[in-house]
Every structure is written in structure tokens, then in C-alpha cells.
Amino acid sequence: MRVAIVTHRLLRTDGQGKINYELALRLAERGQTVELVSSELDGPLKGAANTSWHAVPLPGWLPTQLLRNQWFAFGSRRRLRAMRKVGKRPDLIVVNGGITYHRADVNIAMFVHSYWKTVELPEDGAGRGVGSWVQQVYHRFYAWFNAVWEKRAFRRASASVGLAGLVEDQLRRCVGVPTKRVHVIEPGVDGEHFQALTEGEATPLREEMGVAAGERLGIFVGDLGSRRKNLELVLKAMTEVDGVRLAVVGGTTRSVYPGMAESMGLSERVRFLGRRSDVAELVRQADVFCFPSRYDPWALVVTEALASGVPVVVGPEVGASAAVEDGVNGHLLAHAEDLEGMTAALRRVVEDGLSVERRRAVRASVMERTWDRMTDEYEALFDRLLTGGGA
């Protein structure tokens, strides 16, 4: 089987890129031929057996993400067409939404813009000058264009894959993909890289955060440049609950959250750590992982926190909430704006603490969610398509 995987980035440190990366790596290890079409590639996939990389370089002078995406869309189509000329025509082409002008056989929904443009975010307090107005117009056009583009891409594909049940529903309702052509294949989790804290291990983050005896440490990891990840819900809950400190991982450029934490009187208890490369080491030292995102088709950080032995507070708008059992390995919010639920969850964390035994149990809850299992499901889908068994 020759499979072409088309995506902007094939990086293990990138959410969408990581899912494609793990799929490509395992297909190649199983003897399949994998043609990689991307702008970025790193790690073991670079030069790996059974793989070829067809790079689509992005010029540094392109000023917006919209233009960069268009460059990639045309460039990836050229790469795919060129494969046919040299006898490397793929049996299957796998893409992610509307990212290429070449038809896909399997389209994996890493994000559903047709749904996302219906979600209302709170005002971020930004200025109302000409620059701000232009930016708002651009973002609205960007969301509209992506929604139109992805509808065409998903509808043309032989099969569409949602990362969770909520994405399957959005593909049917918001995009119009027929039910028989929609499948759910959940991502895996790296149980070797993400490990639970053991008895007597050093916890430098807790020391850095000044966590005292009887206090708990929460952690949040995500994009702070927009309001989608909903950090404000955690901050609001912290004003009602003593005994919790919060480590926040993510770039703070143009973020409203540092100022918001200060205005709430949380400067001493909340620390913004910026972008970090040691996220796995940071997460495992926490007592709870807070992730009340307003929309995430999956969110690998949720299952990675669970694999690290850390309970998660999450709402149904996050696909990975399917891996969370309330009161067992985390706390389920009623919805993304559930302040009462978030406050209650933090209070339980303060009261209960997190023993080594509980960490082990939380980790065990996701250990069956392997990347190999995910790859098995994709291979089964590919086989059905290639043998004429239908999607």
C-alpha cells in the first residue's frame, strides 16, 4: 500500500502534526510506503525507511496565514501530481480538512471551521482602532473561507474521520457529510514519554511555585493568544478556592490572561511559564490538569495528562473528554462556562489531594489508547476503501 499523508507540519510537538506523525511512522514500520507532503518534518520520520518527503517550502515574505495556506494548497497539489509522473501514484491520499486543492480519499477532521464559526467568544478588551477593526475583518473572512473550503474537501472525500464523537456529529450536521462516510478514530497517547510521578521523586516545579504543605498545584497548557482555551474559567474559580496554585504553559504575546490574573488578585498564585519544551516533566508534578476549552476536536494534552497520572477537569466541548470518567480519573464540567463545576472540582482537589496510588490508577485509565491501536483502525479503513468494501 502506498499512502500519501498531506499536512502542514509533521512534528511530534504539534497537536495535528503529531497525530499524522505517529500514523505515518507506524505505517512505515509496518512496511507500507508513505509519501509525506508537508512544509515541516522532524524526528525519526526524516529519512526513515519506506518514506519519502515531498517538501512544500513556505516563503518567509508571505504576510498572513491565509496566504501561506493557499501557497501550501497549490504546492501540495503539484507534489501529488508529480508523484504520478515518476510511478509513485498513491493508492490513498490522506489530508486534514481544507488544506490542499487535490482531492483526498480520507479526510481527517482536526478542526471543523463550520462549527467553530458559530461559537461566540467573549470580548478580549482589545482596542477599537483601525488596526483592531482590520484584524477582526480578516479573522471573520478567514473563518468563513475555511468553512466553505473544508465543506468541499470533506464532501469530496471517500471517507471522513472525526477524532471523537462530537466531531462526527459536527461533520454530519455542520458540514453535511453523509453518516455512512463518517468514522470515529481516536488518537493514541505516548505512555513512554508521559509517566506518573513516583514516591520520593523531586518536584522542582512545585518548589518554584512555592506550593506549601496542604496546597495543591494545578496546571494549564494551551494557546493563550485567543479565548478558545478558556483559561479565565480556571482563574475565576481560583478566586473562590484557596489552597490552589496554577502553572500556566503557553506563549503570552498579545494574551489578555496575565493582566486578567493580576486584576483578579491572583498574581501570587498563578505563574505564566511561557512556551516550554519540558511539558511532560511539568505536567506530572501537578495535582490536577485544568482544560475547560470552548472547542477542541480532541486535545492531546488531556490524554497526555492522564498518562502522566494527573486527573483532568474538562468539558464536553473537548473531544478527549471521552477518555475522562467523572470522579475516577477527572472531573467533567456540564459545559465550557460551568463556573460552579470548575469551582467544585478545585475544592475536591484541595480536599482529596493526589496519592501515588491514585496517580497510577489515573494513568492506567488511558494505557489502552495506544498509537498502534489507532493505526490498526486506520489500516482497516484503508483496506476497506482499497478492496471496494466502502467507507
Side-chain angles (χ1 to χ4, degrees):
M1 184 192 307
R2 185 182 297 274
V3 180
I5 296 180
V6 184
T7 189
H8 292 127
R9 293 173 295 278
L10 278 162
L11 310 173
R12 273 186 160 172
T13 55
D14 176 75
Q16 174 176 316
K18 183 174 177 64
I19 293 172
N20 288 291
Y21 194 104
E22 299 293 347
L23 174 60
L25 187 63
R26 280 157 179 75
L27 287 174
E29 289 174 345
R30 297 177 183 194
Q32 313 292 5
T33 300
V34 186
E35 308 290 347
L36 308 168
V37 182
S38 68
S39 295
E40 298 179 64
L41 175 69
D42 72 0
L45 263 182
K46 225 170 188 178
N50 301 320
T51 69
S52 297
W53 182 31
H54 309 268
V56 185
L58 298 180
W61 49 263
L62 286 173
T64 65
Q65 189 62 49
L66 179 62
L67 291 178
R68 288 190 288 273
N69 288 351
Q70 290 303 298
W71 184 282
F72 181 87
F74 284 108
S76 57
R77 183 174 66 178
R78 284 196 300 271
R79 301 300 187 279
L80 289 166
R81 287 179 172 177
M83 290 179 200
R84 290 182 291 185
K85 297 179 181 179
V86 295
K88 291 186 175 182
R89 180 172 183 167
D91 298 309
L92 286 168
I93 298 173
V94 180
V95 308
N96 306 137
I99 65 170
T100 181
Y101 286 120
H102 197 292
R103 179 187 171 276
D105 297 290
V106 178
N107 199 322
I108 306 173
M110 302 291 186
F111 201 91
V112 181
H113 290 86
S114 298
Y115 170 78
W116 171 240
K117 69 185 182 69
T118 69
V119 178
E120 294 187 10
L121 296 180
E123 295 291 336
D124 62 8
R128 297 298 178 203
V130 174
S132 175
W133 179 81
V134 171
Q135 190 176 49
Q136 288 178 44
V137 171
Y138 165 75
H139 284 303
R140 286 173 183 168
F141 176 77
Y142 184 81
W144 170 83
F145 181 84
N146 278 317
V148 172
W149 191 11
E150 75 176 13
K151 279 186 178 181
R152 182 174 182 270
F154 282 123
R155 289 172 178 176
R156 292 179 71 200
S158 300
S160 294
V161 176
L163 304 183
L166 69 87
V167 185
E168 176 191 27
D169 180 64
Q170 291 159 6
L171 288 172
R172 287 189 290 102
R173 289 190 303 105
C174 304
V175 180
V177 181
T179 300
K180 65 181 180 180
R181 294 200 342 238
V182 183
H183 308 264
V184 175
I185 300 179
E186 296 180 351
V189 64
D190 189 343
E192 293 185 9
H193 184 62
F194 295 91
Q195 296 277 345
L197 201 68
T198 57
E199 193 81 51
E201 270 198 78
T203 53
L205 176 62
R206 299 178 76 90
E207 296 173 14
E208 178 186 340
M209 293 287 299
V211 180
E215 286 189 320
R216 311 300 178 203
L217 176 62
I219 192 165
F220 173 98
V221 179
D223 175 25
L224 303 177
S226 79
R227 303 291 286 274
R228 179 163 67 94
K229 303 295 186 178
N230 198 16
L231 175 60
E232 61 260 39
L233 189 75
V234 189
L235 299 179
K236 290 175 184 176
M238 287 183 67
T239 65
E240 303 292 328
V241 182
D242 294 324
V244 179
R245 293 178 181 265
L246 182 70
V248 180
V249 179
T252 56
T253 303
R254 295 188 297 276
S255 174
V256 301
Y257 290 122
M260 188 182 293
E262 184 176 1
S263 68
M264 292 180 178
L266 295 171
S267 297
E268 294 298 317
R269 296 167 56 198
V270 178
R271 181 167 298 183
F272 291 86
L273 305 179
R275 299 183 186 277
R276 300 286 292 257
S277 60
D278 57 343
V279 173
E281 193 56 40
L282 298 176
V283 169
R284 65 200 297 265
Q285 299 177 54
D287 298 297
V288 63
F289 186 90
C290 301
F291 197 78
S293 178
R294 293 184 168 97
Y295 178 55
D296 264 284
W298 184 255
L300 291 174
V301 291
V302 170
T303 45
E304 288 168 352
L306 294 174
S308 303
V310 179
V312 173
V313 183
V314 68
E317 295 85 353
V318 177
S321 62
V324 179
E325 187 175 353
D326 194 47
V328 177
N329 61 355
H331 310 279
L332 290 172
L333 303 174
H335 49 80
E337 310 302 334
D338 183 10
L339 178 58
E340 182 179 348
M342 177 60 74
T343 303
L346 292 185
R347 286 200 177 111
R348 287 198 294 272
V349 169
V350 172
E351 293 169 0
D352 298 344
L354 187 58
S355 65
V356 171
E357 291 73 20
R358 175 88 192 284
R359 289 181 186 273
R360 289 174 185 155
V362 170
R363 172 177 166 79
S365 70
V366 293
M367 283 301 95
E368 290 185 0
R369 296 175 178 272
T370 65
W371 291 112
D372 279 319
R373 188 181 78 169
M374 180 199 77
T375 305
D376 290 342
E377 294 181 29
Y378 275 108
E379 278 197 307
L381 174 59
F382 297 165
D383 285 341
R384 288 199 301 275
L385 292 172
L386 290 174
T387 57

